[in-house]
Amino acid sequence: MAKHAAASRIRLDLRTLGGMLRVTVTDDGGGGARPGGEGTGLAGLIRRAESLDGALWVDSPSGGPTTITVELPCE
């Protein structure tokens, strides 16, 4: 996040919910991250999460902040 978003702070939250591990990362960068945008980083992460029967979501409005949430089975 520091590399791509010019963020100065991030918040990391990990918790288990109903047999799933949820990891949420939020930064204070400029936003605008799109899975279909430049490079393949976010799209690759989505594919990896899905291959483990999980999911990954990106919420990154222009101007920020960006929040990425991934849920993976942990039972």
Side-chain angles (χ1 to χ4, degrees):
M1 292 185 157
K3 177 180 176 183
H4 296 290
S8 61
R9 285 187 267 174
I10 65 166
R11 186 182 80 221
L12 178 64
D13 182 68
L14 295 115
R15 63 184 67 207
T16 56
L17 299 165
M20 300 293 280
L21 170 66
R22 177 183 286 174
V23 179
T24 304
V25 181
T26 302
D27 73 29
D28 66 350
R34 300 284 176 265
E38 277 187 46
T40 60
L42 289 173
L45 290 174
I46 290 169
R47 285 191 303 275
R48 286 179 183 94
E50 290 172 346
S51 74
L52 298 169
D53 295 326
L56 185 143
W57 301 274
V58 178
D59 180 23
S60 185
S62 184
T66 296
T67 299
I68 296 177
T69 304
V70 63
E71 288 186 351
L72 300 170
C74 64
E75 289 189 312

